C-alpha cells in the first residue's frame, strides 16, 4: 500500500470524519494505522482526534515542523498507513514535503487540510503538496450565511468565515486562531467576507 491522498475543504466539511473513516477501514483490514496531529490543535483533546460529529481516534501529537516529524520517524516507519489531521498547521519547508513524499513511496499517506485560510488564501504547505497527490478529495460544507429575509443560504460552502463578536474578522487578524462554531462558519464564495 503506497501513495499520497489529500482531503481538503473548508471547516465543517467533514475532513476529519472522512480521514478517520478511511483509517478505521484499513485498521479493520489489519493494516498498522497511525494518526498524526500538530500540537497547535488543542480542540477537544490533546491526544485524541475527535471529529465534529464525535468519531475519535488516538493520535500521535507532534510539533508541526519537519523536526517534529523527524522525532517520530521511527514510529511512522513502523506503520502501513499514516493519517495527518489539520495538516495546514505544519510549517512549510521543502524538506517537509520531501519527507512526506519519501514516506508515500512505500506507505499510504493521507493528509486532511483546510483548502484556504480565513482570508481565502492558500496555505503554503497544502499548495506545495497537492501536485504530488495520487488522489484529491475536495469536500464542501453548507453555507450558513443568514440573509436579511432570515433565510440560510444553503449553497455548497468552499470557504471558512472567521467571526469576531459575530462580525466578519478583518484581513489583518492572526492567521491561526483555534476555534469552533463560535468563531467560524462555512460560507459560499458570495458570502465569504474579509474586511480589509
Ligand atoms: Zn452563501
Amino acid at each position: 500500500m503506497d501513495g499520497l491522498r489529500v482531503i481538503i475543504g473548508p471547516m465543517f466539511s467533514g475532513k476529519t470524519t472522512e480521514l478517520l473513516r478511511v483509517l478505521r477501514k484499513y485498521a479493520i483490514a489489519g493494516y498498522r494505522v497511525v494518526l498524526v496531529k500538530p500540537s497547535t490543535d488543542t480542540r477537544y483533546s490533546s491526544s485524541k482526534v475527535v471529529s465534529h460529529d464525535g468519531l475519535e481516534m488516538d493520535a500521535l501529537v507532534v510539533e508541526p515542523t519537519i523536526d517534529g516529524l523527524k522525532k517520530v520517524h521511527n514510529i511512522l516507519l513502523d506503520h502501513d498507513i499514516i493519517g495527518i489531521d489539520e495538516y495546514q498547521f505544519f510549517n512549510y519547508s521543502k524538506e517537509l514535503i520531501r519527507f512526506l513524499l519519501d514516506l508515500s513511496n512505500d506507505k499510504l499517506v493521507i493528509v486532511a487540510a483546510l483548502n484556504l485560510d480565513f482570508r481565502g488564501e492558500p496555505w503554503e504547505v497544502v499548495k506545495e503538496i497537492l501536485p504530488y497527490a495520487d488522489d484529491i478529495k475536495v469536500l464542501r460544507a453548507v453555507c450558513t450565511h443568514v440573509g436579511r429575509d432570515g433565510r440560510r443560504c444553503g449553497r455548497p460552502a468552499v470557504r471558512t468565515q472567521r467571526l469576531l463578536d459575530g462580525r466578519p474578522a478583518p484581513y489583518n487578524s492572526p492567521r491561526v486562531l483555534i476555534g469552533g462554531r463560535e468563531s467560524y462558519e462555512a460560507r459560499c464564495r458570495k458570502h465569504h467576507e474579509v474586511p480589509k
Side-chain angles (χ1 to χ4, degrees), residues 112-133:
L114 278 176
N115 52 346
L116 301 166
D117 64 14
F118 82 97
R119 298 171 184 143
E121 294 174 350
W123 302 85
E124 194 75 1
V125 80
V126 176
K127 200 168 77 174
E128 292 295 329
I129 209 162
L130 278 176
Y132 298 103

Side-chain angles (χ1 to χ4, degrees), residues 143 145 153 155 188 191:
C143 179
H145 178 267
C153 165
R155 282 195 195 85
C188 69
H191 291 131

Side-chain angles (χ1 to χ4, degrees), residues 1 23 37 53 59 61 84 105 109-110 116 132 135 164 178:
M1 185 67 64
L23 293 180
K37 73 169 193 174
D53 60 2
V61 180
I84 304 180
N105 284 335
V109 177
I110 311 170
L116 301 166
Y132 298 103
D135 182 76
L164 204 65
I178 306 295

Side-chain angles (χ1 to χ4, degrees), residues 8-28:
I8 54 168
M11 280 181 73
F12 313 113
S13 62
K15 297 182 298 297
T16 301
T17 303
E18 174 66 10
L19 177 63
L20 297 189
R21 185 187 72 78
V22 175
L23 293 180
R24 208 167 265 199
K25 189 173 72 173
Y26 282 110
I28 289 167

